[in-house]
C-alpha cells in the first residue's frame, strides 16, 4: 500500500509516464531483492499497480494537464456560462477519490489477484543503505515547485477578494502563475550557469502534440455546442426519453460507461473533445452539477489501459512485457468496471459536498 501511495505521489509531481517508469524500476529491484521470479504473479501485480496508481496521482492535482484540458473542452461548450473551476474543490475531490482508487486496487490485489507476499515479512532494509540527499539545484527546483503550487491554490481560498495583491493573483490564472515561475528561473544562475535554458525547455519540455490537439479540440468543441449546428438540440432530443426514465444518476452511469468503453478503444483526447462540449446542456436538463460530472469524467477518461491504442500509458503497459496480455485483460476489465461504479455512486455524491 505504501509503495502504491508513493507511486501516486510521484504521479502528482511528475505526471503519469515518469512515475510509472520510475516505480517500475523500483518494483523490479524490490522483486529481485526479495527473490521472486520476474514472471511471478506478484511482479505482474506490482507492475499493474504502478500503472494504476501513477495516473491516479496525476488526476488528483487540479492544475495537471488532464484537469486543465478536460475542463477547457467543457468550458468551450458552455457559451461562456461557466469559465473556471475551484482548484481547492477539485483537489479535495481528487485526493479523496485517488485514495479510494488506491484502496480499490489493494482490495482487488488481495481478493482477486491474490499473489504470494510471504517474502515481504522477511525483508529488512540494510542499515548501510545510502541516504538520499538533494543537491542545491534540486532543492531550488523543489522550492520553486512549492511556490507555484501555493500561487495556483491561493486564488481558490480568496475568490472575489478586494485585496489588490490577491486580486492580481486571481487574475494570473494557471498560465500567468507558471509564466512568473519560469521568468524567475530564467534569471537565476546556479554554479555559473543559467538554472534553466528556455530554448531547451521549449524544445523538449513542452508537449506540443497535446497543445495542438487541445487547440483542435477547443475549436471542435465550440462548434459542437453552437446552436447553429443543432448538435446539442439533437443530442438532447435523443436522450430525452432516456433521461426521463433513468434520472440523473442513471444518466451519469450510462455516460461514465460510454466514456469507459470509448476511451479504452481510442485516444482519450478525441473522446473528451466529442463528449464534453455536449454535457452542459444535458446537465442543465437533468439538474446535475456539471463541474462534478466533469471531475468524475476525468477519473474515467484517463484510465485507458485496456488496449495499447488507448493511451501512451496503455501502450507502455502492453509493450513492457511485465504483465502478460491475458492478465491485462483479465484484471483490467473488472477493475475498470468496479472503479467506474465507485466513481458514480461514491464520487458524485462526495463531489456535491466539495464543489
Amino acid at each position: 500500500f505504501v509503495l502504491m501511495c508513493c507511486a501516486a505521489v510521484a504521479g502528482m509531481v511528475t505526471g503519469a509516464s515518469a512515475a510509472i517508469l520510475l516505480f517500475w524500476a523500483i518494483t523490479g529491484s524490490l522483486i529481485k531483492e526479495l527473490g521472486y521470479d520476474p514472471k511471478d504473479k506478484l511482479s505482474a501485480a506490482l507492475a499493474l499497480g504502478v500503472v494504476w496508481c501513477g495516473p491516479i496521482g496525476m488526476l488528483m492535482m487540479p492544475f495537471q494537464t488532464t484537469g486543465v484540458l478536460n475542463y477547457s473542452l467543457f468550458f468551450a461548450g458552455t457559451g461562456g456560462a461557466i469559465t473556471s473551476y475551484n482548484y481547492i474543490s477539485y483537489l479535495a475531490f481528487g485526493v479523496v477519490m485517488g485514495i479510494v482508487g488506491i484502496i480499490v486496487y489493494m482490495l482487488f490485489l488481495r481478493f482477486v489477484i491474490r499473489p504470494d507476499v510471504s517474502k515481504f515479512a522477511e525483508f529488512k532494509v540494510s542499515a548501510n543503505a545510502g541516504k538520499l540527499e538533494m543537491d542545491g539545484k534540486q532543492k531550488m527546483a523543489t522550492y520553486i515547485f512549492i511556490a507555484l503550487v501555493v500561487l495556483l491554490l491561493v486564488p481558490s481560498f480568496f475568490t472575489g477578494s478586494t485585496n489588490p495583491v490577491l486580486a492580481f493573483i486571481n487574475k494570473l490564472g494557471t498560465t500567468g502563475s507558471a509564466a512568473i515561475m519560469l521568468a524567475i528561473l530564467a534569471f537565476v544562475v546556479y554554479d555559473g550557469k543559467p538554472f534553466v535554458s528556455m530554448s531547451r525547455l521549449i524544445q523538449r519540455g513542452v508537449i506540443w502534440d497535446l497543445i495542438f490537439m487541445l487547440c483542435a479540440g477547443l475549436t471542435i468543441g465550440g462548434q459542437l455546442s453552437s446552436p447553429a449546428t443543432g448538435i446539442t438540440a439533437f443530442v438532447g432530443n435523443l436522450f430525452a426519453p432516456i433521461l426521463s426514465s433513468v434520472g440523473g444518476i442513471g444518466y451519469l452511469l450510462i455516460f461514465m460507461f460510454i466514456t469507459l468503453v470509448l476511451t479504452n478503444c481510442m485516444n482519450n483526447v478525441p473522446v473528451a473533445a466529442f463528449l464534453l462540449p455536449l454535457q452542459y446542456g444535458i446537465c442543465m436538463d437533468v439538474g446535475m452539477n456539471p463541474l462534478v460530472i466533469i471531475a468524475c469524467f476525468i477519473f474515467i477518461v484517463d484510465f485507458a489501459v485496456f488496449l495499447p491504442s488507448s493511451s501512451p500509458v496503455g501502450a507502455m503497459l502492453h509493450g513492457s512485457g511485465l504483465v502478460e496480455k491475458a492478465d491485462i485483460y483479465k484484471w483490467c476489465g473488472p477493475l475498470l468496471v468496479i472503479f467506474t461504479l465507485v466513481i458514480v455512486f461514491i464520487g458524485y455524491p462526495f463531489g456535491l459536498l466539495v464543489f
Side-chain angles (χ1 to χ4, degrees):
F1 179 75
V2 173
L3 186 65
M4 296 300 103
C5 287
C6 290
V9 171
M12 293 172 67
V13 178
T14 64
S17 298
I20 290 169
L21 292 174
L22 172 63
F23 275 84
W24 271 350
I26 292 173
T27 55
S29 299
L30 181 61
I31 288 295
K32 184 178 180 181
E33 182 74 21
L34 291 171
Y36 284 99
D37 189 284
K39 296 298 182 181
D40 189 87
K41 185 185 288 187
L42 177 63
S43 178
L46 289 178
L48 180 61
V50 168
V51 172
W52 182 264
C53 296
I56 275 184
M58 183 181 68
L59 299 179
M60 291 182 187
M61 302 301 283
F63 39 77
Q64 278 279 15
T65 306
T66 181
V68 174
L69 169 65
N70 285 289
Y71 272 108
S72 297
L73 291 170
F74 167 70
F75 295 149
T78 66
I82 305 177
T83 57
S84 64
Y85 61 106
N86 188 287
Y87 278 4
I88 296 298
S89 297
Y90 182 89
L91 182 64
F93 176 87
V95 169
V96 171
M97 294 315 301
I99 294 172
V100 170
I102 296 172
I103 293 172
V104 166
Y105 184 77
M106 296 308 298
L107 291 174
F108 191 84
L109 181 72
R110 173 68 178 82
F111 295 106
V112 179
I113 301 177
R114 302 178 67 181
D116 174 24
V117 295
S118 58
K119 294 182 181 180
F120 273 89
E122 306 168 5
F123 180 70
K124 291 181 174 59
V125 179
S126 172
N128 297 321
K131 293 183 179 179
L132 296 177
E133 294 184 1
M134 293 191 296
D135 59 26
K137 190 171 186 179
Q138 291 169 331
K139 289 179 180 179
M140 186 176 296
T142 302
Y143 298 147
I144 290 291
F145 175 76
I146 293 173
L148 175 61
V149 171
V150 171
L151 199 60
L152 290 169
L153 294 181
V154 162
S156 297
F157 284 107
F158 304 99
T159 53
S161 174
T162 57
N163 183 289
V165 175
L166 294 175
F168 173 73
I169 295 176
N170 274 325
K171 291 182 179 179
L172 282 177
T174 304
T175 304
S177 300
I180 287 178
M181 293 298 106
L182 284 175
I184 293 173
L185 289 175
F187 286 98
V188 172
V189 176
Y190 180 82
D191 198 21
K193 299 178 181 179
F195 190 83
V196 296
S197 168
M198 294 304 294
S199 60
R200 183 182 179 88
L201 191 63
I202 292 172
Q203 290 174 6
R204 301 189 179 183
V206 179
I207 310 175
W208 289 107
D209 54 346
L210 183 61
I211 291 176
F212 287 120
M213 290 180 72
L214 175 60
C215 293
L218 291 174
T219 303
I220 294 171
Q223 297 304 312
L224 285 175
S225 60
S226 172
T229 61
I231 295 177
T232 303
F234 171 76
V235 172
N237 293 332
L238 183 66
F239 277 96
I242 300 175
L243 296 177
S244 61
S245 59
V246 301
I249 291 296
Y251 168 72
L252 178 61
L253 187 63
I254 294 170
F255 176 47
M256 291 296 105
F257 272 103
I258 289 174
T259 301
L260 179 66
V261 172
L262 291 178
T263 195
N264 278 279
C265 293
M266 62 183 75
N267 191 279
N268 50 15
V269 176
V271 173
F274 175 71
L275 293 177
L276 290 183
L278 306 174
Q279 294 311 305
Y280 178 71
I282 296 175
C283 288
M284 294 299 100
D285 290 339
V286 298
M288 302 187 78
N289 187 323
L291 294 178
V292 181
I293 294 284
I294 306 308
C296 293
F297 175 87
I298 289 170
F299 267 79
I300 300 301
V301 77
D302 279 279
F303 270 108
V305 294
F306 196 74
L307 297 174
S309 59
S310 305
S311 67
V313 171
M316 289 171 63
L317 175 62
H318 284 263
S320 67
L322 298 173
V323 187
E324 296 292 336
K325 295 288 194 298
D327 289 334
I328 294 175
Y329 301 133
K330 182 171 62 177
W331 294 341
C332 286
L335 194 56
L336 289 168
V337 170
I338 292 169
F339 190 59
T340 300
L341 293 173
V342 168
I343 288 293
V344 171
F345 293 107
I346 297 178
Y348 183 75
F350 175 71
L352 294 176
L353 298 177
V354 297
F355 274 90

